[in-house]
Amino acid sequence: MSLSSTQSSDTISRRRRPTDLALDPSGGHDCHEELHEQLIASNSCASSPHLSSCPAVKCIPAHACTGYRACEESWEIIQNKRTIKAENEVEANKLVNNYRFGFRKWKSHVTKRPFERRSDVVKELYSELNVVKPHSGPGQFITFGNIVYVFLFGWWVSLAHLLVGTLMFMTIIGIPHGKLCWRLCGYLLWPFGSTVHEIGKTLRRCCEQAPDCECRVDLDEDSSPVLLPSPTEIADPERPERPPCTHYWHRPSTYVWLLLGYLPLVIVHSLACFLSWILVFTIPVAKLNAQTLSVILLLPPEDVSISSSSQRQHHGYETRARLCCYYAANWYYYKYTVDGINVFAVNLLPLVIVALVIGYVDRGNQWASSDVKFATAIGSIIPLSYYIGMGIASISAQSNFAVGAVVNATFGSITELTFYITALLRGHRTNNPCLQEVVKAALTGTLLGCILFIPGICMIIGGLKHSEQRFNSRSAGVSSALLFISVGGAFAPTLFSKAYGNLVCDSCTNSSSGLFVCHNCHYDLKNSTLFHSHVEPLVYTVSALLPLAYIIGLIFTLKTHSHIYNIHVGDGQVTDHQETVVHWSRWRSLVILIVATVLTSACADLTSEHIQPILSQPNVSQYFIGVTVLAMVPEIPEIVNGIQFALQNNISLSLEVGRCIAVQVCMLQIPILVVFNACYDVGFELLFSDLHLWASICSVILVNYIFMDGKSDYFQGTALVIVYLILLALYFFAPSPAGC
């Protein structure tokens, strides 16, 4: 899958100005001088004084550009055109959905990519460690990762084989297996460059029954690592015949080995496999241990041959490479996926089980404290939100526009809403008003993080790689307008209450200077007629208008004015006409969505149950906990998606990731919470503190000012992140809400 744009910022700097372009008589600017800084032109385009065309762009004649504004508009038209290049129709639908307002932006593939078309780096990630490769010599394998392997895994796995081999020698009957363990002892200490072969009649019968199997023959005078057997080869009359032997599974020594030797090694290799898999970048070590455990240790000892990188054993029998590892670590394993799911999300999935077990079984906190339960519960939401995102993207890519819009609107905010609702319910049951303030802080924190932090970090990383990046300013303007509307609507009841509410203080004292000093001042709304007669109707009105504005935004961007995105699949852009194989079907995606939603609800319930010890910390404001941990942890998959888009020079999608979530917070999540409170009164009031109010308004103004020019670089991203950190400092040092 590749996303190609007609414009590229890194090629803009390499343009050359046409030599004979006229000055603009009306605007006083050299129109084409300005245009040459923004359009991509080939040599043939640059040499034409009037009009020519290139594969990527259209050149504009000199007389057609009547002013600076016209040049800018021409640049916008050309820059905004994007042609989707996808491997199949489903991937094309997913890519188009990424540019649609209200749809979740998803980077990972939802279909299986043809293995033969993937890069050599990716093919290496999915290698089964049974391919013998040419190499320059043993010195090639002395790398930092391989040396670390010896200290982390090699020595104790090798020691286990040494001890088990000694035990098998003591049984007398298991001596062949003991010899195998001793040979593997040296191999597993430094396996790099050496190869474990399977030899013997077992493989010979396999080759006779399945001629296409990867059999090997080692000739006495051939030093090549692996040779395929030729059908015209004549058997060597001097080749020694192997003596007949009892079938492997009919030998008593086999079962002695399985009971005394294999079982301890199962524990050792399973532990090594688990640890190396969790570390992700050492997944080759996990494959090495898994292959050793499932294949090598279950072969007859006489059928296992180990040849080093510098010396090959020429035994004259047919061989097959079973295990050959060259490097213990690979940086690119962060791209590794299991059934379409990134390996980091897969590794975090067991955390969900741990959180549920210690949360619901250990009610007395005998196994783990409340702090540990809170950390595991909030951490388990990360993989669940990733699975929810994958399910939404899969269903949307395989369905029509209407189904995709419904799924995104229904499940797009399900992770956050489950936490908010469970926290409000628990606060209502335990008569704890602090949880309501925590929910408001989490709402504001999500808004601030999506407006400032996500775009900022994406602009920094993308700017460091691509210097300057450009995005569609027209579509960004639509998102900015919706952001203004959503934030203004969400905080309108708060502004109204500040204007008409009565300021009440808990206690006031007369100071020596004659001035009154008051403490814990707030607007008294709950016990007055103002809230029920004026503020509450305003809240319901705003909660009805915000979803309406969201629907109008959908219609505007997806139907009536979809041309502002100019996203289409060009003729012949779908490169793979083979049968498309999706990772998850629609029904499977729906089941996973439902299961992940239920598990998210359970984890959110545990989070709200065990959050009180965290909130009771005297040195940390409750505002800070809600704005940071509770707000941003569920958004980690979105942050990763945004960074990946930025690295691919697609900053438009990186910015849309944050803005889309921010708009959904105000236009969907807040109205849903208001409706929920109207149906089941949990004490949720759409009235925010002054800090929430002004932090959100200032953030929206700042981000819209930065996005005005349609360009981004690391400096602008740094500005957004610095402002976000300043706001976090305000929340950190702010006093906790009154009554908490």
Side-chain angles (χ1 to χ4, degrees):
M1 183 272 299
S2 63
L3 185 60
S4 61
S5 171
T6 58
Q7 311 304 324
S8 176
S9 59
D10 59 339
T11 58
I12 290 172
S13 60
R14 297 194 295 267
R15 284 197 63 260
R16 294 295 181 267
R17 178 189 172 190
T19 58
D20 49 358
L21 295 179
L23 291 174
D24 173 39
S26 61
H29 298 281
D30 187 342
C31 175
H32 287 271
E33 180 176 356
E34 184 69 21
L35 190 60
H36 94 272
E37 297 176 1
Q38 300 169 344
L39 296 179
I40 299 174
S42 66
N43 293 332
S44 61
C45 244
S47 62
S48 174
H50 299 293
L51 176 63
S52 62
S53 62
C54 297
V57 302
K58 291 183 179 179
C59 290
I60 300 176
H63 61 79
C65 200
T66 59
Y68 180 81
R69 182 178 298 275
C71 291
E72 288 296 318
E73 291 177 355
S74 300
W75 156 248
E76 289 293 336
I77 293 173
I78 294 176
Q79 190 270 342
N80 291 338
K81 289 183 179 179
R82 289 182 180 270
T83 300
I84 298 295
K85 183 178 180 182
E87 297 169 348
N88 51 67
E89 185 177 358
V90 176
E91 286 295 331
N93 290 337
K94 186 208 74 174
L95 293 175
V96 172
N97 288 339
N98 283 342
Y99 289 91
R100 288 174 170 168
F101 170 75
F103 280 68
R104 194 157 188 164
K105 321 304 175 187
W106 195 251
K107 178 65 177 63
S108 302
H109 280 68
V110 296
T111 60
K112 296 181 180 179
R113 304 180 65 187
F115 188 76
E116 63 275 3
R117 296 187 179 181
R118 309 189 77 172
S119 63
D120 293 336
V121 173
V122 176
K123 290 180 180 179
E124 179 68 22
L125 301 183
Y126 295 93
S127 172
E128 295 298 331
L129 301 185
N130 58 1
V131 178
V132 180
K133 302 177 182 178
H135 51 82
S136 58
Q140 177 184 351
F141 308 118
I142 302 178
T143 63
F144 176 76
N146 291 353
I147 295 174
V148 170
Y149 161 82
V150 176
F151 291 98
L152 290 183
F153 303 100
W155 71 270
W156 56 273
V157 175
S158 177
L159 178 62
H161 277 266
L162 178 64
L163 297 177
V164 170
T166 304
L167 176 63
M168 296 310 297
F169 266 91
M170 296 174 60
T171 63
I172 306 300
I173 194 175
I175 289 179
H177 293 279
K179 293 180 179 179
L180 174 62
C181 287
W182 282 4
R183 283 185 290 161
L184 290 175
C185 172
Y187 172 79
L188 293 173
L189 182 62
W190 185 265
F192 312 110
S194 300
T195 306
V196 179
H197 296 276
E198 178 188 0
I199 62 176
K201 294 182 179 180
T202 303
L203 185 64
R204 191 177 296 115
R205 286 194 300 269
C206 167
C207 293
E208 292 173 356
Q209 298 173 4
D212 294 332
C213 73
E214 297 178 358
C215 299
R216 304 286 194 270
V217 171
D218 290 330
L219 298 180
D220 292 342
E221 297 181 358
D222 192 355
S223 60
S224 60
V226 180
L227 293 177
L228 291 174
S230 172
T232 60
E233 283 181 329
I234 301 176
D236 186 358
E238 298 182 359
R239 178 179 295 176
E241 291 293 335
R242 299 180 62 190
C245 58
T246 309
H247 192 275
Y248 178 65
W249 296 104
H250 295 166
R251 307 175 193 173
S253 61
T254 300
Y255 298 96
V256 173
W257 156 251
L258 292 177
L259 291 176
L260 299 181
Y262 185 74
L263 288 181
L265 293 180
V266 166
I267 300 175
V268 172
H269 283 289
S270 298
L271 179 60
C273 189
F274 172 77
L275 295 177
S276 56
W277 181 274
I278 290 296
L279 295 176
V280 176
F281 302 108
T282 57
I283 286 181
V285 179
K287 294 181 179 180
L288 173 71
N289 284 272
Q291 191 77 353
T292 302
L293 186 62
S294 61
V295 177
I296 305 302
L297 295 179
L298 294 179
L299 290 174
E302 65 275 10
D303 284 355
V304 177
S305 172
I306 302 176
S307 57
S308 64
S309 58
S310 59
Q311 182 180 4
R312 296 288 179 185
Q313 296 182 4
H314 308 295
H315 38 64
Y317 292 105
E318 299 158 338
T319 64
R320 178 182 182 182
R322 283 293 192 176
L323 184 58
C324 47
C325 181
Y326 297 99
Y327 299 101
N330 190 334
W331 165 255
Y332 291 99
Y333 267 99
Y334 73 90
K335 298 181 177 181
Y336 195 80
T337 60
V338 179
D339 198 19
I341 299 297
N342 186 269
V343 63
F344 287 101
V346 174
N347 287 349
L348 287 175
L349 198 59
L351 192 63
V352 179
I353 301 176
V354 174
L356 296 178
V357 170
I358 65 175
Y360 288 109
V361 176
D362 182 27
R363 289 292 186 179
N365 293 343
Q366 297 179 355
W367 301 345
S369 63
S370 292
D371 295 342
V372 174
K373 292 180 180 180
F374 172 80
T376 54
I378 195 69
S380 62
I381 295 179
I382 299 175
L384 292 175
S385 61
Y386 193 96
Y387 275 81
I388 290 175
M390 180 68 174
I392 293 174
S394 297
I395 294 178
S396 301
Q398 301 174 67
S399 308
N400 56 31
F401 161 75
V403 174
V406 171
V407 170
N408 277 271
T410 305
F411 290 96
S413 303
I414 198 69
T415 303
E416 297 86 351
L417 285 174
T418 51
F419 169 74
Y420 300 151
I421 292 176
T422 53
L424 291 174
L425 288 172
R426 183 168 295 278
H428 177 68
R429 290 196 300 264
T430 59
N431 195 22
N432 184 5
C434 296
L435 290 179
Q436 181 187 150
E437 295 299 326
V438 169
V439 169
K440 293 178 184 178
L443 285 168
T444 309
T446 304
L447 193 63
L448 297 177
C450 294
I451 293 176
L452 297 175
F453 180 74
I454 295 180
I457 196 68
C458 293
M459 292 167 71
I460 291 174
I461 296 176
L464 291 176
K465 182 176 182 181
H466 301 287
S467 182
E468 182 179 270
Q469 296 177 293
R470 295 177 179 266
F471 54 88
N472 189 335
S473 58
R474 293 191 65 189
S475 62
V478 175
S479 299
S480 299
L482 288 171
L483 197 57
F484 264 122
I485 296 172
S486 60
V487 172
F491 288 93
T494 304
L495 290 171
F496 186 85
S497 66
K498 303 299 181 185
Y500 296 101
N502 296 321
L503 187 64
V504 177
C505 301
D506 291 345
S507 61
C508 295
T509 57
N510 191 0
S511 63
S512 58
S513 59
L515 298 177
F516 284 93
V517 178
C518 300
H519 303 279
N520 296 329
C521 298
H522 59 279
Y523 287 93
D524 185 18
L525 299 174
K526 197 150 192 174
N527 298 325
S528 66
T529 59
L530 177 64
F531 179 79
H532 298 287
S533 301
H534 301 279
V535 177
E536 195 171 38
L538 176 61
V539 170
Y540 293 144
T541 302
V542 168
S543 299
L545 292 176
L546 287 177
L548 179 61
Y550 185 82
I551 295 174
I552 294 175
L554 287 175
I555 297 174
F556 179 83
T557 56
L558 303 180
K559 291 296 182 182
T560 61
H561 288 69
S562 60
H563 59 274
I564 65 176
Y565 294 95
N566 269 331
I567 304 300
H568 66 280
V569 180
D571 296 336
Q573 295 298 327
V574 178
T575 60
D576 191 358
H577 299 285
Q578 301 176 359
E579 182 181 358
T580 302
V581 180
V582 296
H583 288 298
W584 296 355
S585 65
R586 278 177 291 188
W587 284 107
R588 181 183 179 187
S589 301
L590 182 60
V591 171
I592 291 177
L593 274 178
I594 296 173
V595 173
T597 301
V598 173
L599 293 177
T600 302
S601 302
C603 293
D605 179 65
L606 292 174
T607 301
S608 60
E609 179 182 353
H610 297 283
I611 196 177
Q612 193 57 46
I614 308 297
L615 298 178
S616 301
Q617 297 291 332
N619 299 326
V620 181
S621 172
Q622 296 182 3
Y623 286 137
F624 181 78
I625 297 173
V627 167
T628 54
V629 179
L630 302 179
M632 296 308 295
V633 167
E635 308 302 336
I636 288 179
E638 304 298 332
I639 298 174
V640 174
N641 282 329
I643 292 174
Q644 289 179 328
F645 286 131
L647 289 174
Q648 291 188 343
N649 202 18
N650 196 348
I651 195 65
S652 295
L653 287 184
S654 297
L655 302 181
E656 286 295 328
V657 166
R659 284 194 294 242
C660 182
I661 300 174
V663 169
Q664 287 185 345
V665 167
C666 296
M667 291 189 169
L668 292 180
Q669 295 180 18
I670 288 179
I672 289 175
L673 292 178
V674 171
V675 172
F676 176 78
N677 185 75
C679 299
Y680 185 82
D681 188 8
V682 291
F684 178 74
E685 302 168 355
L686 194 60
L687 298 174
F688 294 87
S689 66
D690 290 346
L691 185 55
H692 295 331
L693 171 66
W694 299 117
S696 301
I697 293 178
C698 293
S699 299
V700 172
I701 295 174
L702 173 64
V703 77
N704 281 279
Y705 172 76
I706 288 182
F707 291 164
M708 286 176 59
D709 60 352
K711 304 174 185 177
S712 72
D713 49 53
Y714 75 89
F715 176 75
Q716 293 177 333
T718 303
L720 293 179
V721 174
I722 291 297
V723 171
Y724 178 73
L725 295 178
I726 291 174
L727 293 177
L728 291 189
L730 293 178
Y731 281 106
F732 182 83
F733 294 106
S736 296
C740 295

